[in-house]
Amino acid sequence: MVKIQRYETTNNDFGGSTQDWVDKFEGKGVIDMLSGNEVLAADTLGRASSHILILFTIIDVKRGDRVIHNNDRYRVTYVDNPMNFNRHLEISLIWEANL
């Protein structure tokens, strides 16, 4: 299972606000590590990536969101809907930490 979270600001009852990671999606997805050449190619585009996530559910994912999978945490660096066919999303990730 893959969990996608977004850092959001929510207002509280006292006129202030809090910021925290909010779950946006939980479902099936496949994460694969990029090879050395693919990492270099992604870096030339200004988006360093170490992994790619394939989702067959079309959802709202943005750069800066985070992905939790198998006790690992990743940051979203780029989201692609190949040829805008809405068949799947290819989400570039960079590994951040073990949980």
Side-chain angles (χ1 to χ4, degrees):
M1 295 298 274
V2 174
K3 184 185 294 186
I4 297 179
Q5 300 177 325
R6 183 167 296 149
Y7 198 67
E8 292 185 348
T9 302
T10 55
N11 295 325
N12 60 26
D13 294 335
F14 304 106
S17 62
T18 59
Q19 296 178 329
D20 201 5
W21 290 98
V22 177
D23 293 349
K24 290 296 184 180
F25 171 80
E26 188 167 350
K28 293 183 180 181
V30 178
I31 293 181
D32 190 24
M33 181 181 282
L34 297 174
S35 70
N37 291 340
E38 291 170 318
V39 172
L40 180 61
D43 192 34
T44 59
L45 297 173
R47 293 181 293 268
S49 300
S50 59
H51 294 75
I52 189 162
L53 166 64
I54 306 295
L55 283 182
F56 291 100
T57 304
I58 306 301
I59 59 169
D60 177 33
V61 181
K62 297 180 182 179
R63 187 173 188 217
D65 288 352
R66 81 176 176 188
V67 174
I68 309 292
H69 180 260
N70 287 343
N71 291 324
D72 285 323
R73 186 176 68 217
Y74 305 88
R75 182 72 53 147
V76 174
T77 58
Y78 184 71
V79 180
D80 185 25
N81 180 350
M83 299 179 67
N84 292 318
F85 283 157
N86 292 328
R87 293 183 182 161
H88 71 281
L89 294 177
E90 296 177 2
I91 302 169
S92 299
L93 306 170
I94 188 158
W95 181 83
E96 285 189 331
N98 291 328
L99 298 177

